[in-house]
Amino acid sequence: MKNCLISNKLQISLNKSIQMEFSSAMIYYAMSSYLRSEGLKHGAELFTKWADEEMGHGKKLIEYLDDRNCLAKIEGADSATNSFKNLEEMLNAGYEHEVLVSNNYIKISSIALSEDDNTTFHFLSWYVNEQKEEIVKFRDLIDAYNNIGDIPERKYLMDKVFKSYL
């Protein structure tokens, strides 16, 4: 696009972030399906809600690129699994994914800052803060799972924890 108001490097990085956000949504939709299959109704609702939020994050990136007169490239999302050996594995996978996404935004923010692109840097600050919240949510869910312990009521109690996030 003519007269893109950000560097090519930032444009490529932001387009990669669009794909990451849409991939995050697919991961959470898959996790929702897994939770539903495990009888965790509230967990399924929560992860569907989070998937919808990730779609919104991708759309926000598209709008930013459009506002900066740049071309947003919409590529396919990565495939997502809904096959986990247990809830602990699923929660850990979600945590690791959010750390990956967080590191992406920290890296892009650093690029914007090094290029003196304050507009993009401030835009990305929202994502950096959002990712901090995402990591904390997963950490708290993992802590709840571990604190409940290996008791027969674990699934029931975890579904109550998921409900508290709705």
Side-chain angles (χ1 to χ4, degrees), residues 49-153:
K49 176 184 170 190
W50 286 353
D52 293 344
E53 289 173 2
E54 299 295 340
M55 293 297 288
H57 299 168
K59 291 175 188 175
K60 185 174 179 170
L61 286 162
I62 292 167
E63 290 169 2
Y64 181 78
L65 285 168
D66 288 345
D67 288 348
R68 302 303 291 160
N69 205 33
C70 304
L71 184 62
K73 294 184 180 178
I74 316 305
E75 299 188 7
D78 296 335
S79 62
T81 185
N82 62 356
S83 178
F84 302 98
K85 69 180 181 181
N86 56 36
L87 182 56
E88 179 180 30
E89 181 182 58
M90 188 209 80
L91 292 172
N92 284 322
Y95 176 85
E96 290 168 15
H97 177 74
E98 290 300 342
V99 168
L100 178 74
V101 174
S102 293
N103 289 337
N104 173 64
Y105 284 116
I106 291 167
K107 179 181 173 187
I108 300 170
S109 293
S110 295
I111 293 168
L113 198 57
S114 73
E115 294 180 0
D116 293 327
D117 185 340
N118 293 319
T119 303
T120 301
F121 177 77
H122 288 291
F123 170 74
L124 289 168
S125 294
W126 182 88
Y127 283 90
V128 171
N129 289 325
E130 178 70 15
Q131 284 309 124
K132 179 190 74 71
E133 292 173 15
E134 303 288 333
I135 288 173
V136 168
K137 285 190 290 193
F138 268 100
R139 186 199 63 211
D140 289 349
L141 289 172
I142 291 167
D143 287 348
Y145 180 85
N146 290 329
N147 287 331
I148 290 170
D150 192 14
I151 59 173
E153 299 85 4

Side-chain angles (χ1 to χ4, degrees), residues 17-32:
S17 298
I18 293 168
Q19 182 184 8
M20 286 184 89
E21 292 294 345
F22 290 159
S23 291
S24 295
M26 295 305 105
I27 288 168
Y28 294 149
Y29 286 132
M31 288 178 172
S32 175

